Amino acid sequence: MTVWDDLVGQDRVQEQLAAAAKDADALVTAASGGEPLDQGSKMTHAWLFTGPPGSGRSTAARAFAAALQCTSPDRAMGGAPGCGFCDGCHTSLIGTHADVEVIRTDLLSIGVKETRDLVRRAQLSPAVGRWQIIVMEDADRLTEGAGNVLLKAVEEPAPRTVWMLCAPSLEDVLPTIRSRCRHLTLSTPPVEAVADVLVRRDGIDPERAHAAARATQGHIGRARRLATDERARARRAAVLKVPLRVADVGGCLKAAQELIDTSTEDAKQLAEEVDAKETEDLKAALGGVAGGRMPRGTAGAMKELEDKQKRRKTRTQRDSLDLALTELTGFYRDVLALQLGSKLAIANTDVQDSLDRIAESSTPAQTLRRIESVIACREAMDRNVAPLLAVEAMTMALRAG
């Protein structure tokens, strides 16, 4: 098992990263320390991974980080870095390597303060590994100020520091930053490849794995959750009933409220799992006593944590709602395929009756308008429109067709 095994359906990207890791290994091995990277090398100090959700952007970045930290003795005999078994590979992949920092945010954005902390870390020499590596999984969530802070570090990197930024598209990253990164584009992996990895790595029943991969159209993370989480399957089933429930105004409003309630419940459940532990850990760190008053001067820290938890809850609710809208888009995409007689594979075969019913009772033009209304709802929430208002407008548009 190599570090690339979880990189599903990305052969071209894997070849580029493996070649860069091999050049990086040669540079570190030959250098006496502190020398700049060879301009002719396939290795560079900043990388930008882009691709649609579920394509494996962060997986590719973590695998590359592991290959750069690989300490397998086979390398000396011509073996490729990234064995997957040595201490460098193993700790990088599980997130415990001292010189690999993986940044993911539960909040709506990454601010200046957090970015400055990363930049300071990036200036350090590797403590135990071969490179100092910063993997930013949500580079698209950098605020403008944070992006400007990051730009300086990417422009003038430390000799043995590597930045790996992940974003859905080039347009989600500041032009000044993306122009200084080597760009790799990942594609949505084939359904069969996703199903295979679910069976091979997660031990999921082949039939269920294939159904989950088909329903999520190659999104690895969503497919795994759908195949393993009964609650996720129930939530998806409820979302796919919405097109049949918007026959009248009352049905539209009720469906909208239920979508909002479901996303709110998802956020609440996550908060219950995480918030209580975070709060208790912070109280203990600040010297608080269980059941007693907090020491003087700690109110600010507790307020900051509460604000962070509130922002995380907002993002979780929006992410859950966005997933529901994505599933609705997939439903109407299947309807359009049926109406046009397309040979495109149907994703939601488990609700074939509903698809047939909507396809027969509407026209392709109506289906396109319905897809546009779902997209408009997602855009409205990006502009901070109240979620309930945005979803109600969408369900009314679905009814109108």
Side-chain angles (χ1 to χ4, degrees):
M1 174 181 172
T2 69
V3 298
W4 312 111
D5 284 358
D6 287 344
L7 194 54
V8 181
Q10 311 292 345
D11 295 342
R12 183 181 58 82
V13 170
Q14 179 179 329
E15 290 175 4
Q16 291 177 281
L17 293 178
K22 194 167 185 179
D23 279 4
D25 181 60
L27 287 169
V28 175
T29 302
S32 58
E35 297 181 12
L37 296 175
D38 181 1
Q39 294 302 311
S41 171
K42 294 183 176 67
M43 180 59 187
T44 189
H45 68 277
W47 297 77
L48 176 57
F49 299 82
T50 65
S55 58
R57 301 183 302 258
S58 58
T59 300
R62 289 196 299 269
F64 186 34
L68 293 180
Q69 303 290 19
C70 182
T71 56
S72 169
D74 293 342
R75 294 175 298 104
M77 297 180 288
C83 65
F85 294 102
C86 70
D87 185 66
C89 288
H90 180 67
T91 55
S92 296
L93 291 174
I94 66 174
T96 59
H97 196 292
D99 296 314
V100 178
E101 181 78 5
V102 179
I103 306 302
R104 61 178 68 87
T105 181
D106 294 322
L107 309 179
L108 296 175
S109 62
I110 300 175
V112 172
K113 180 179 181 296
E114 302 97 305
T115 308
R116 282 179 177 156
D117 292 340
L118 287 178
V119 170
R120 281 194 288 269
R121 170 167 180 151
Q123 299 304 313
L124 301 176
S125 297
V128 297
R130 301 164 71 80
W131 299 88
Q132 179 74 250
I133 300 173
I134 311 292
V135 178
M136 185 173 288
E137 294 188 355
D138 301 296
D140 55 308
R141 295 186 181 271
L142 285 165
T143 63
E144 183 176 355
N148 291 330
V149 171
L150 178 62
L151 175 62
K152 185 69 173 177
V154 174
E155 281 182 325
E156 301 175 5
R160 297 272 283 277
T161 293
V162 182
W163 288 89
M164 301 183 191
L165 311 180
C166 305
S169 69
L170 283 174
E171 289 69 27
D172 292 311
V173 181
L174 287 176
T176 47
I177 292 179
R178 66 183 187 233
S179 66
R180 290 161 174 81
C181 299
R182 184 165 297 174
H183 179 218
L184 293 177
T185 303
L186 285 77
S187 58
T188 301
V191 169
E192 293 296 336
V194 174
D196 177 69
V197 79
L198 292 179
V199 173
R200 174 170 47 84
R201 187 180 60 186
D202 300 297
I204 296 170
D205 175 73
E207 184 176 347
R208 174 172 287 184
H210 193 274
R214 184 178 61 246
T216 57
Q217 288 296 283
H219 191 300
I220 302 172
R222 284 170 50 203
R224 180 177 294 111
R225 183 181 177 191
L226 194 62
T228 58
D229 188 346
E230 181 63 36
R231 190 177 65 189
R233 292 193 290 272
R235 183 196 51 74
R236 173 177 172 272
V239 170
L240 295 183
K241 290 178 181 177
V242 168
L244 297 177
R245 299 178 57 198
V246 292
D248 54 54
V249 173
C252 292
L253 299 180
K254 185 175 180 180
Q257 185 64 61
E258 288 179 2
L259 285 176
I260 295 298
D261 290 344
T262 299
S263 62
T264 302
E265 183 62 26
D266 283 348
K268 181 180 178 182
Q269 289 178 352
L270 178 63
E272 290 175 349
E273 295 171 3
V274 179
D275 290 1
K277 185 177 185 306
E278 279 186 345
T279 301
E280 290 304 316
D281 288 347
L282 181 60
K283 286 182 177 180
L286 295 175
V289 179
R293 296 181 61 182
M294 291 295 295
R296 188 184 300 274
T298 60
M302 295 301 298
K303 181 66 167 59
E304 183 178 349
L305 176 62
E306 290 172 3
D307 291 341
K308 174 185 174 182
Q309 291 172 343
K310 183 177 180 180
R311 293 194 300 272
R312 181 171 60 205
K313 185 176 180 180
T314 300
R315 176 183 171 180
T316 302
Q317 181 180 0
R318 289 188 180 181
D319 286 350
S320 176
L321 188 54
D322 189 68
L323 176 56
L325 298 178
T326 300
E327 290 166 343
L328 270 179
T329 305
F331 179 94
Y332 285 113
R333 168 254 192 205
D334 286 347
V335 170
L336 188 63
L338 291 173
Q339 291 172 329
L340 298 178
S342 171
K343 295 181 180 179
L344 196 67
I346 300 300
N348 300 291
T349 55
D350 52 328
V351 289
Q352 187 71 51
D353 290 345
S354 298
L355 294 173
D356 292 338
R357 181 175 170 183
I358 298 296
E360 291 170 1
S361 63
S362 62
T363 66
Q366 288 177 306
T367 303
L368 283 172
R369 287 195 292 270
R370 284 165 173 158
I371 292 174
E372 289 171 354
S373 71
V374 179
I375 295 172
C377 180
R378 298 178 71 179
E379 292 174 347
M381 288 193 296
D382 284 341
R383 297 192 299 270
N384 291 321
V385 173
L388 182 57
L389 292 178
V391 176
E392 285 179 344
M394 179 197 70
T395 54
M396 293 296 290
L398 294 180
R399 174 176 177 267

